[in-house]
Amino acid sequence: MSAAPGRVRRIALLTSGGDCSGLNAIIRAVVLRASQLGWEVTGVSYGTQGLLGEHTQTRRLRPEDVDTVMMRQSGTILGTTNKGDPFAYPMPDGSVKDRSWEIIENFRKTGCDSLIGIGGDGSLPILLRLTEQGGIPLICVPKTIDNDVPLTETAVGFDTAVEVATEALDRLQPTAASHNRIMVLEVMGRGAGHIALAAGIASGVDVILLPEIPYDIEIVANRLRSVQTPAHRFGIVVVSEAARPKGGTVRTQVMQDGQVRLGGVGAAVGAQIAELCQAETRVTVLGHVQRGGQPSAWDRLTAAAFGARAVDLLNAGQSGRMVTWSQRGVTDVLIADVIARGSHSVEMDDSLVRVARGLGICLGDQPA
Ligand code: F6P
């Protein structure tokens, strides 16, 4: 889809899906770049939910609203949600309802003529379908700590999450060494092991367990036994939340509100290691800590570049595209192509998989 280039615009801007560090830096870049072109930006609160009901939640975002503090501030000033698909919206009576036209009609009432959506792989199909239905030009910006959005080398938020996980592993190492313990750290990532793989290598752990490589606990235990020497009587394991044993399934937890989330594999792996290695073992679940904290310089940089490019794409009359990072620069691809690829998980010939194996890190499937 393309739109008329060059005319004065009013852009609606929203963040959708789970938050991560760097969202505010994207928002700031969109507002500043739009203002350079003399355009207006309207922020929509809580993803598409801000356009539901009689009292929509929108506000004008001016350059004076987005000072440099936002480069350092995690979360999103617009709020976000990873619930409430507008095409199957959960109603209080337990039914689901298609509320897509309500959102489109409320979007029109804002006076905006295009949308920039900041989201991950869950939000992209919804935003594309919604905007195609409403004839609204759309540009998306990828964000997620999981780094599982295809066709981009990085999504905003991933780098900070890796920093947080690496720091956690670094902090576990001295206490593990002091007590001759095995430490297990469970990290996020949904179906993709990018955080575990990157942080595990960066911190120099003994074992990395990924969703993409089902593990054999005996191989894990053997590796941990083999690294025990008189000078080194501890072990560090990082496990991605969707890792599963060979022939087994992922572990999930039911939240207070009935939603199902990944979780529990760290405790399971820790208990098995304690028994098989006869070692004192402790488990840490890093959780949402990975989504907060000051964004890394890299996340801020890509956020700034992505936000500016998103506005430039609208200015060029483009629509239905997602900005991406590829070969040291910003470019863009069709959102439909991103969706068609599904999810970007760790591939077996990923260079970091080879690095890990080359350094003797056990990935749970074969002796290191
Ligand atoms: O997709 C981002 C993510 O943080 C995943 O890594 C994690 O599995 C999930 O969101 C957690 O979701 P919630 O914030 O709903 O608990």
Side-chain angles (χ1 to χ4, degrees), residues 225-307:
R225 282 189 215 106
S226 76
V227 296
Q228 307 296 317
T229 65
H232 177 119
R233 298 176 59 76
F234 65 96
I236 309 283
V237 178
V238 58
V239 52
S240 189
E241 61 183 356
R244 62 191 161 87
K246 277 183 186 162
T249 51
V250 296
R251 288 189 177 255
T252 55
Q253 298 168 335
V254 181
M255 302 287 119
Q256 306 88 320
D257 59 2
Q259 290 195 66
V260 178
R261 290 290 181 266
L262 293 163
V265 66
V269 165
Q272 287 180 298
I273 288 171
E275 195 185 323
L276 290 170
C277 297
Q278 289 297 298
E280 221 183 342
T281 304
R282 295 288 185 270
V283 177
T284 304
V285 179
L286 201 50
H288 292 79
V289 171
Q290 292 156 98
R291 300 220 307 231
Q294 192 160 296
S296 68
W298 176 252
D299 274 335
R300 300 184 208 185
L301 185 66
T302 48
F306 282 175

Side-chain angles (χ1 to χ4, degrees), residues 82 144-146 188-190 241 261-262 288 291:
N82 59 4
T144 167
I145 66 165
D146 307 329
M188 282 184 165
R190 279 205 300 175
E241 61 183 356
R261 290 290 181 266
L262 293 163
H288 292 79
R291 300 220 307 231

Side-chain angles (χ1 to χ4, degrees), residues 86-126:
F87 293 96
Y89 196 86
M91 302 302 285
D93 66 0
S95 63
V96 291
K97 185 178 172 190
D98 182 349
R99 300 183 73 181
S100 54
W101 282 113
E102 191 180 330
I103 290 173
I104 291 165
E105 273 153 30
N106 279 332
F107 174 89
R108 291 190 180 129
K109 286 183 198 155
T110 66
C112 292
D113 54 20
S114 52
L115 175 67
I116 293 180
I118 305 167
D121 62 351
S123 304
L124 294 176
I126 293 171

